[in-house]
Amino acid sequence: MKRSEGGGVGWLVHTLRCGEISLEDFLDAAAQAGVPEERAAMLGSDAARAQENQRRLRGELREAYDFIIIGAGSAGCVLAARLSEDPSHQVLVLEAGGPGTHPDVFVASRWRRLFDTEMDWGYRTVAQRHAGGRIVAYPRGKTLGGSASINASVWTRGHPLDYDGWAYQGNPGWDAASVRRIYKELEDYAGGEDAYRGAGGPLRMGKPQDPHPLARAFVDAAKEVGLPATPDNNGAQMEGAGYMDLCIVDGERYSVASALLHPAMVRPNLTVLTHAEARRLIFEGGRCTGVEIAHGGRARRVRAAREVVLSAGAIGSPKLLMQSGVGPADELTALGIPVVADLPAVGRNLQDHILVAGINYESRSPLPPPRNNGAEATLFWRSDPGLACPDIQPILHEFPVVSPELGPGPEHGYSIVPGLVRPASRGSVRLTSADPAAPPAIDVNYLRCEADVEALLAAVELSREIGAARAFDEFRRREVMPGPRSRVEMAAWIRQATTCFFHPTSSCRMGVDERAVVDPRLRVHGIAGLRVADASIMPEITTGPTNAPAILIGEQASRFILGRAPAARR
């Protein structure tokens, strides 16, 4: 299919679904894009039905729904689709952002352009004491699809030891063998089904089509310096260099919203309400019975007959719990918030991977533009051979990557960006005010543990070795930064280059001890009718990008709620 100006066919369908273009305009644009007439008519009919259905449902909002899902991100999209499969369930999804019809949402290589737009919450950390005292931008998706609509479209399950570790901590059903079966049911992997991968599921992904020459050079360079290659880091062997699985179909982002939420919007029992920000949870006795929201310039309350599921992410979920009186009693009392449940762990244990931005190279000549997501090749490796699984992840970026303090990067260049994917440091999310509009205090506590610095020193050294290999000779004019430095100097550079990897987790930890917020079935301890289902429940962060695990968590939550495997997809 040809791409229409400004966006592809998926984007055109979504703008029709959201009522921003007419069916007639859609059909004209689809014809210009080369879409066969019969297929365009089918796509247009489905999108127009969804648009009319949602227009009607939003105009006739109920006072009560069976399920209220707060947040239409990775987990929330799964929950919306699964819970609404039963036509007897009335399901309401509350999304603080808009529908996400900007064409850049659908162009996978443009994900960096979406930061600090209306589709990003625009968070900032507090000054990071161990990372040069810098305030770091902390993007989080604020649109249908959540961060899955503004990220780099990567599908990484994580290492089996991640999940076995969760189960070992008292969370049955989260072990590696169990979650592998669920991942296989979710996947429609372009490489086909095998013992590890699934085919025929709702989520499409595969290796990049026609990788960028730089991505090919990265894989070759890794082999040149003695590292193994892996054909599939979601398969039998995570360790090694290779191409990442990308959720890109026909050249466009294929997010969990595209796969599950958008098709479900034709259902008469699923109401998807955008620009609807949850302000507080409502409690009666020890039960959560609804949500207070801001929508259309006024406040209103909506009741939940069965459950409220909080899927607002590792920043939004603890924030809303604390705003509602669920959290550390002393902190809530100090802000004048009545305490509903004293759960000291809410907002604690915040974990994020660390991205070092970055080892930058000036190219010999202007490079081809980024392909696919612009970050197609990676390496999972161990900073210490004695470790049980990989803890570092260098990624080849087909463009320069620098922190504001170290920029600008070269006009024509590329970067190898070391990442730490099993950090030891832990941070927190805290309220700054009882006002729901006040931003939270996000302290990722980057590099608090010296072990993280040591691991990143190894990651930088390995990345520079790969970048100096012969495979890059035709592209590399010179290494711009960091260049040769002593160990002390390199550690200081790392503290200035440390930035967000966009993977916050673990601030509403799952478990059975006093450090937990939810139980193994994601129910908030001490509160009936309330679950948390998003990346905030991870006991420990997974190895690698966290979007696939967040989708897994949404799928698990739907099964817990329904008490069965989901019904056949429609």
Side-chain angles (χ1 to χ4, degrees):
M1 290 181 185
K2 281 169 44 182
R3 298 184 63 82
S4 63
E5 184 177 354
V9 175
W11 169 68
L12 285 171
V13 171
H14 191 49
T15 57
L16 173 58
R17 182 186 296 113
C18 296
E20 296 190 5
I21 60 173
S22 68
L23 178 58
E24 182 180 5
D25 288 342
F26 167 80
L27 293 174
D28 286 345
Q32 293 175 25
V35 183
E37 184 176 349
E38 184 177 347
R39 175 163 172 74
M42 181 189 68
L43 292 172
S45 174
D46 288 348
R49 284 196 304 119
Q51 192 275 330
E52 174 57 26
N53 182 56
Q54 291 301 314
R55 184 196 63 77
R56 179 183 59 80
L57 291 171
R58 291 165 183 163
E60 302 171 357
L61 288 177
R62 296 166 173 260
E63 292 186 0
Y65 294 80
D66 294 297
F67 300 102
I68 299 176
I69 301 163
I70 301 174
S74 296
C77 286
V78 181
L79 281 157
R82 297 307 198 199
L83 297 182
S84 64
E85 285 176 341
D86 185 335
S88 70
H89 295 159
Q90 285 294 330
V91 181
L92 173 65
V93 179
L94 301 172
E95 170 53 48
T101 54
H102 194 287
D104 284 354
V105 170
F106 289 81
V107 182
S109 63
R110 297 180 186 171
W111 52 274
R112 295 172 299 149
R113 298 186 189 184
L114 300 170
F115 299 160
D116 285 323
T117 68
E118 71 277 5
M119 289 165 284
D120 175 14
W121 281 94
Y123 292 129
R124 299 291 187 270
T125 70
V126 300
Q128 295 298 284
R129 298 181 299 280
H130 309 286
R134 298 176 302 117
I135 294 172
V136 178
Y138 215 69
R140 294 282 83 207
K142 189 180 182 182
T143 186
L144 295 183
S147 295
S149 289
I150 70 168
N151 67 5
S153 301
V154 172
W155 179 266
T156 303
R157 294 176 175 184
H159 196 277
L161 288 180
D162 299 335
Y163 300 105
D164 283 342
W166 293 8
Y168 181 77
Q169 294 179 49
N171 299 295
W174 293 93
D175 58 281
S178 295
V179 303
R180 187 205 298 180
R181 288 192 292 270
I182 297 172
Y183 274 129
K184 287 190 67 176
E185 292 179 21
L186 287 168
E187 289 182 344
D188 187 13
Y189 177 51
E193 184 173 11
D194 61 20
Y196 296 89
R197 307 306 302 272
L203 297 165
R204 299 172 65 183
M205 77 288 296
K207 298 298 181 282
Q209 296 297 304
D210 189 22
H212 196 283
L214 285 168
R216 298 178 190 273
F218 178 88
V219 175
D220 290 342
K223 290 188 284 188
E224 185 182 324
V225 302
L227 297 167
T230 179
D232 184 5
N233 57 42
N234 287 308
Q237 178 182 318
M238 186 180 205
E239 255 180 307
Y243 299 109
M244 293 194 277
D245 281 343
L246 303 179
C247 297
I248 299 173
V249 177
D250 293 333
E252 288 186 287
R253 177 195 298 274
Y254 194 74
S255 72
V256 65
S258 304
L260 286 168
L261 180 64
H262 295 165
M265 288 171 68
V266 298
R267 296 175 184 164
N269 62 325
L270 174 63
T271 303
V272 180
L273 197 62
T274 54
H275 301 295
E277 186 170 351
R279 309 304 292 268
R280 289 183 181 85
L281 303 172
I282 301 167
F283 299 96
E284 295 177 13
R287 183 176 188 85
C288 182
T289 58
V291 187
E292 178 186 305
I293 67 174
H295 179 252
R298 67 186 185 94
R300 64 176 297 158
R301 292 188 167 199
V302 189
R303 293 182 60 85
R306 292 183 59 177
E307 290 195 27
V308 173
V309 187
L310 186 47
S311 296
I315 307 303
S317 286
K319 180 177 183 288
L320 185 58
L321 285 173
M322 291 185 285
Q323 284 169 197
S324 308
V326 179
D330 54 346
E331 294 182 16
L332 301 182
T333 300
L335 293 173
I337 298 174
V339 177
V340 174
D342 181 13
L343 286 179
V346 174
R348 303 302 187 264
N349 198 46
L350 176 67
Q351 298 172 36
D352 193 2
H353 299 142
I354 295 175
L355 205 64
V356 175
I359 301 170
N360 282 266
Y361 299 89
E362 182 183 9
S363 59
R364 291 182 177 274
S365 59
L367 295 164
R371 295 181 187 170
N372 293 297
N373 68 341
E376 304 162 290
T378 193
L379 165 70
F380 286 98
W381 199 243
R382 288 169 288 170
S383 64
D384 183 323
L387 295 174
C389 67
D391 66 327
I392 57 176
Q393 185 195 3
I395 305 173
L396 185 283
H397 284 64
E398 296 153 13
F399 44 82
V401 177
V402 296
S403 67
E405 293 78 12
L406 296 174
E411 181 180 1
H412 300 292
Y414 58 95
S415 57
I416 297 175
V417 182
L420 177 63
V421 290
R422 292 185 70 88
S425 301
R426 301 289 184 264
S428 64
V429 180
R430 301 174 189 263
L431 295 185
T432 57
S433 167
D435 181 0
I442 303 170
D443 185 3
V444 194
N445 213 9
Y446 287 131
L447 306 179
R448 167 64 180 82
C449 296
E450 193 63 26
D452 291 347
V453 179
E454 292 296 316
L456 285 169
L457 283 165
V460 168
E461 179 181 357
L462 179 59
S463 298
R464 292 186 67 227
E465 185 180 2
I466 293 170
R470 291 189 304 275
F472 280 107
D473 283 355
E474 65 178 293
F475 305 105
R476 183 187 60 248
R477 181 185 296 277
R478 66 187 179 98
E479 180 184 326
V480 176
M481 65 176 74
R485 296 171 184 250
S486 69
R487 190 172 181 83
V488 171
E489 291 170 338
M490 192 66 82
W493 179 82
I494 287 171
R495 294 187 191 278
Q496 290 295 313
T498 285
T499 190
C500 177
F501 210 156
F502 323 119
H503 304 151
T505 70
S506 307
S507 52
C508 295
R509 179 180 173 273
M510 173 175 63
V512 294
D513 59 24
E514 69 283 354
R515 297 179 298 129
V517 175
V518 300
D519 71 12
R521 296 178 72 83
L522 308 185
R523 297 168 294 204
V524 175
H525 286 300
I527 301 288
L530 179 63
R531 296 185 205 240
V532 179
D534 56 37
S536 71
I537 67 91
M538 294 185 189
E540 306 288 339
I541 195 168
T542 51
T543 304
T546 54
N547 187 52
I551 292 170
L552 166 80
I553 290 164
E555 177 70 12
Q556 281 274 56
S558 75
R559 298 181 182 207
F560 296 151
I561 292 167
L562 296 170
R564 55 173 174 78
R569 287 178 290 276
R570 299 199 296 272

